[in-house]
Amino acid sequence: MDREKLPLLFFTQIILSGEPDANTSPQGRGYFTMATKAKKRKNNVKFLNDFMQWGSPLNQIFVMDAIGKLANMVIDQQDQLRIDMKDNFVHPESWIQCAKDWKRDYDENYND
C-alpha cells in the first residue's frame, strides 16, 4: 500500500466507523490512546422530548415557563436586542419573530 495514502485511509475509516482497523492503522490496534468513538448526541427535539417525558414531573412546566419568559423578554426588549445582536450569527428580526410566534401559538393553545 502507498504510504502517502495510508493516513487518509486511516482517518477516513475513523470518521466513517468511529474506530481504526488493525489493517489500516500504521501501528495496528492501539494506535490511538484516546477513545475514537464520538458520543452520539440527541437532536434538539429528541433531547427536549426525553427531558419532558422521563424526568421530574416539573420538567414540562420548567421548559414551558423558561421559553415563555425568554419570549416575553425578547418582545419587551426588542429595540435593545436589535442593537445587541447587530452583527450576530442570528439576525435579530428572526429572533424577535420566533419569540412572537411562540407567544402567539402559546396564547392560542392555552389562553382561551
Side-chain angles (χ1 to χ4, degrees), residues 1 4 12 14 36 43-44 47 57 59 72 78 85 107 112:
M1 178 178 276
E4 291 179 16
T12 301
I14 291 172
T36 56
N43 64 37
N44 293 341
F47 177 82
N59 286 359
N72 288 332
Q78 52 188 296
M85 293 181 71
D107 288 344
D112 294 334

Side-chain angles (χ1 to χ4, degrees), residues 71-88:
N72 288 332
M73 287 189 323
V74 167
I75 293 167
D76 293 344
Q77 301 174 24
Q78 52 188 296
D79 292 335
Q80 182 62 42
L81 191 70
R82 286 183 183 98
I83 295 167
D84 294 345
M85 293 181 71
K86 180 181 168 204
D87 296 320
N88 203 335

Side-chain angles (χ1 to χ4, degrees), residues 10-104:
F10 179 67
F11 290 111
T12 301
Q13 182 183 12
I14 291 172
I15 291 168
L16 295 176
S17 71
E19 61 185 54
D21 181 64
N23 298 325
T24 56
S25 172
Q27 285 100 7
R29 294 230 184 262
Y31 179 70
F32 279 109
T33 56
M34 300 185 317
T36 56
K37 281 200 173 189
K39 178 181 176 184
K40 184 170 180 168
R41 297 183 190 266
K42 299 176 186 177
N43 64 37
N44 293 341
V45 173
K46 175 83 170 123
F47 177 82
L48 277 174
N49 187 36
D50 287 353
F51 181 80
M52 291 175 68
Q53 283 190 355
W54 304 111
S56 164
L58 293 176
N59 286 359
Q60 290 186 25
I61 298 168
F62 177 83
V63 169
M64 299 296 284
D65 186 57
I67 295 172
K69 285 178 180 175
L70 177 62
N72 288 332
M73 287 189 323
V74 167
I75 293 167
D76 293 344
Q77 301 174 24
Q78 52 188 296
D79 292 335
Q80 182 62 42
L81 191 70
R82 286 183 183 98
I83 295 167
D84 294 345
M85 293 181 71
K86 180 181 168 204
D87 296 320
N88 203 335
F89 175 74
V90 176
H91 194 275
E93 296 305 321
S94 299
W95 198 248
I96 293 166
Q97 189 59 51
C98 285
K100 290 177 179 178
D101 291 347
W102 170 268
K103 183 158 177 43
R104 181 199 64 232

